[in-house]
Amino acid sequence: MKRIQILKIVLFIGIITLPIINMNLKPEQVSEIDNRVLMEKSEVLTGDFTSNFEQYIEDRIGFRTSMISAYTNSMDYMFNYMVHPTYEYGQEGYIYSKLSREVFHKDFQEVYSDYILNVQQYCEGRGIEFLYAVEPSKATVYPEFLPKGCNYKNIDLDYFLKLLDEKNINHVYTGDALIEAKSNYQVFDEKFDAGHWNETGAIVGSSEILYKLNEQNENIDKFDFNNYEVVKYKNTSLPVSRFEIDEETLRYELIEPKAKPIDMFAENIRINERYTNFSHYKNEENTDAPRILVFAGSYFNNKDKFLTKSFSEYVKVHNYHNIIDIDYYINLFNPDIVLFESTEYTHNSNYFNTDVMCTTIYNKPLKDYENISKTQFVSIDGDITTTQNEAVIDFSIPLTNNKALYSYAKVSDRILDCEIIEVDGKQSVEFSIALYELKDVSEFTLYIVSEDESEYSEIKVNL
């Protein structure tokens, strides 16, 4: 009997101590079960120490993923009750992303819509067509299956759509089409991927976007369902989760893919280290169609196949923090159209930083300065620095004499927007361009606009 008691004590101590001994103390860890960055040691002393310390232990405790998975699956099996950091049950077996108390983020919607207008005006000032697309959440399309007692009003989205209209932002809202289509099709799976539309929903949304773009440019083909083969597919667990399900869904495969993937830029461009999703296709069989640059979130992951056929070239960059560098990407890819997409639940400062959107200033179009004086108020000071890889070359050109506000580079027939960078009181012009565009170029021209916008300098640069 004594041995059994000792064994129980040893087991009890082991159960307590093993998770502590195996705590995950590595920096920059991402949880595979709830798809977020785990708390760092440095964050414990920021704010409320007690709650931060508890959160740190909960995040870093050993066997965390296995324990959450075991507990979640057992609760579902025994009580049909979901205990999960990311998901929760609605009615009739529907699964939704974890719901929280609805708060009206009026200020963010105003800042975000102002920024979208800023991007639209930037594109239009350079002769680039622009379209913004907003996607609805599963809760917006299927509110009837939300948990009983959930009072979902969707105030943020209603106000945001109103602002888009008031500010004359060229946009398409795919929610209306999805709600109409759901009477005949399952546009979000009942269980799988509560945070995103399924491929049927993606087709509905992509069709709306292409239809709107076709109204702007008839060389853009509308969506043609005949180009795809329907394939049944079984999902066995929720995304970024070990929660088991058994659900059939539909996928759509291109019968004859025309667009070819281009790998040259994938590892050679400036992109946010947390949001690196990038794809690039060229369609040699549709050369009359325009080139499109797409800034899109996770709704578009693995959905390029629904859009690439309609364009001669298709470039997609993850939207969140990368849209701020739209001038950089336009310099590299020279698009005819920019499509900026986001989903309603990403409309907060975690995804689109309010401070950055408010303080980001893009160059005015060079044509705005056609009537100011041409002088040599500024000149190049010393050596030009270049950095290049197999796809992109970066220029840094030091300036002297006077302060500059904006700068531009004319390369062949293209006008590129440059940045004025100031360090320790010294300014330099910086810009990036695709290396192949300089293949037969021996010189380019810099245009530098003065700080008071009263004069500009024109400087030839030999390569």
Side-chain angles (χ1 to χ4, degrees):
M1 179 67 89
K2 188 174 182 180
R3 290 180 179 178
I4 293 175
Q5 289 177 337
I6 292 173
L7 181 60
K8 287 180 179 179
I9 293 171
V10 171
L11 287 172
F12 179 72
I13 293 173
I15 291 171
I16 294 175
T17 57
L18 277 176
I20 297 175
I21 293 171
N22 287 278
M23 284 186 68
N24 180 3
L25 303 178
K26 296 178 182 178
E28 298 180 357
Q29 295 295 290
V30 177
S31 168
E32 66 177 79
I33 199 165
D34 45 1
N35 195 30
R36 65 178 178 83
V37 178
L38 300 180
M39 179 171 276
E40 303 286 349
K41 291 179 185 177
S42 59
E43 296 176 301
V44 174
L45 297 176
T46 304
D48 187 333
F49 173 80
T50 302
S51 60
N52 285 348
F53 182 74
E54 289 177 358
Q55 183 66 57
Y56 182 80
I57 297 298
E58 288 178 8
D59 279 5
R60 300 293 184 153
I61 195 75
F63 315 115
R64 175 181 184 268
T65 297
S66 298
M67 288 191 292
I68 291 176
S69 296
Y71 179 58
T72 301
N73 285 309
S74 62
M75 290 294 287
D76 179 57
Y77 178 76
M78 292 187 293
F79 305 109
N80 193 34
Y81 182 74
M82 180 177 287
V83 180
H84 194 278
T86 306
Y87 305 109
E88 68 176 283
Y89 273 129
Q91 301 176 61
E92 299 185 23
Y94 272 71
I95 294 175
Y96 292 87
S97 296
K98 200 78 171 179
L99 298 167
S100 57
R101 185 172 63 89
E102 193 171 1
V103 178
F104 183 28
H105 302 96
K106 181 176 183 289
D107 291 344
F108 179 87
Q109 311 308 322
E110 292 174 353
V111 170
Y112 186 42
S113 57
D114 279 342
Y115 177 71
I116 297 170
L117 179 60
N118 187 11
V119 171
Q120 174 173 297
Q121 292 171 339
Y122 178 81
C123 292
E124 291 175 346
R126 285 143 187 83
I128 300 170
E129 296 178 39
F130 175 82
L131 178 65
Y132 170 68
V134 57
E135 324 300 353
S137 67
K138 183 176 182 178
T140 298
V141 178
Y142 290 100
E144 63 270 30
F145 298 115
L146 285 167
K148 288 184 178 179
C150 179
N151 185 20
Y152 185 66
K153 296 181 178 178
N154 215 358
I155 305 169
D156 273 348
L157 180 61
D158 290 343
Y159 185 63
F160 179 65
L161 293 174
K162 177 185 174 184
L163 291 174
L164 295 179
D165 287 331
E166 290 177 352
K167 296 176 184 181
N168 293 317
I169 293 171
N170 189 34
H171 71 280
V172 57
Y173 171 55
T174 59
D176 293 334
L178 288 161
I179 291 169
E180 181 179 351
K182 75 175 184 178
S183 59
N184 296 311
Y185 308 100
Q186 193 71 37
V187 294
F188 287 75
D189 290 326
E190 292 182 13
K191 292 180 170 58
F192 181 73
D193 206 352
H196 305 90
W197 53 23
N198 60 21
E199 290 209 349
T200 304
I203 284 177
V204 174
S206 299
S207 298
E208 286 295 295
I209 290 169
L210 289 172
Y211 183 85
K212 182 73 172 180
L213 288 172
N214 175 265
E215 288 183 336
Q216 298 174 219
N217 189 324
E218 62 182 12
N219 289 324
I220 298 172
D221 294 334
K222 297 178 183 178
F223 186 85
D224 186 353
F225 189 81
N226 294 319
N227 293 322
Y228 299 84
E229 178 185 5
V230 183
V231 179
K232 291 183 179 180
Y233 183 84
K234 182 164 286 191
N235 294 309
T236 57
S237 68
L238 298 181
V240 292
S241 169
R242 296 182 182 180
F243 188 87
E244 297 177 2
I245 61 172
D246 182 9
E247 182 180 42
E248 190 175 85
T249 189
L250 299 178
R251 292 188 177 179
Y252 304 83
E253 301 300 333
L254 266 171
I255 297 171
E256 291 185 59
K258 301 296 184 182
K260 305 298 182 184
I262 306 297
D263 297 327
M264 179 173 59
F265 289 95
E267 302 296 327
N268 295 307
I269 59 173
R270 185 171 79 206
I271 197 166
N272 185 274
E273 61 184 11
R274 290 183 61 189
Y275 303 105
T276 59
N277 193 10
F278 173 84
S279 55
H280 185 191
Y281 293 84
K282 283 191 177 180
N283 187 353
E284 300 294 346
E285 297 191 24
N286 196 10
T287 54
D288 291 335
R291 299 180 300 273
I292 190 169
L293 171 61
V294 180
F295 292 91
S298 54
Y299 264 50
F300 277 47
N301 288 356
N302 304 313
K303 306 298 189 300
D304 301 327
K305 60 187 176 182
F306 300 135
L307 295 171
T308 53
K309 196 176 178 69
S310 297
F311 303 96
S312 60
E313 187 169 357
Y314 173 95
V315 179
K316 186 189 70 182
V317 183
H318 203 297
N319 52 8
Y320 301 157
H321 296 278
N322 296 309
I323 183 66
I324 294 295
D325 292 323
I326 185 172
D327 45 356
Y328 167 81
Y329 291 105
I330 285 176
N331 282 352
L332 287 187
F333 299 110
N334 190 24
D336 302 302
I337 300 169
V338 166
L339 169 64
F340 176 21
E341 178 273 347
S342 64
T343 309
E344 61 165 289
Y345 61 74
T346 66
H347 296 175
N348 61 70
S349 201
N350 292 327
Y351 297 98
F352 299 98
N353 187 280
T354 305
D355 293 336
V356 174
M357 289 191 293
C358 287
T359 56
T360 296
I361 299 174
Y362 298 115
N363 287 11
K364 294 179 181 178
L366 179 58
K367 63 178 181 289
D368 285 5
Y369 298 107
E370 291 175 345
N371 297 321
I372 65 174
S373 301
K374 177 181 176 182
T375 68
Q376 286 307 118
F377 82 95
V378 70
S379 58
I380 294 176
D381 180 26
D383 295 332
I384 296 173
T385 302
T386 60
T387 305
Q388 71 179 67
N389 51 47
E390 61 186 45
V392 179
I393 182 167
D394 305 319
F395 285 88
S396 181
I397 305 168
L399 301 178
T400 190
N401 295 337
N402 292 287
K403 295 288 186 180
L405 179 64
Y406 297 129
S407 59
Y408 310 82
K410 184 177 182 181
V411 181
S412 297
D413 294 326
R414 285 191 65 202
I415 300 295
L416 281 68
D417 288 298
C418 308
E419 290 184 87
I420 297 291
I421 305 297
E422 185 166 335
V423 178
D424 297 329
K426 296 183 178 179
Q427 290 187 325
S428 61
V429 172
E430 297 188 1
F431 71 96
S432 302
I433 188 172
L435 194 59
Y436 69 80
E437 289 204 55
L438 298 180
K439 183 178 179 181
D440 299 315
V441 175
S442 59
E443 67 174 19
F444 63 86
T445 305
L446 282 182
Y447 298 96
I448 316 292
V449 176
S450 65
E451 198 168 39
D452 63 2
E453 300 180 85
S454 65
E455 55 188 328
Y456 77 98
S457 292
E458 181 178 321
I459 305 172
K460 295 288 185 182
V461 177
N462 295 317
L463 294 174

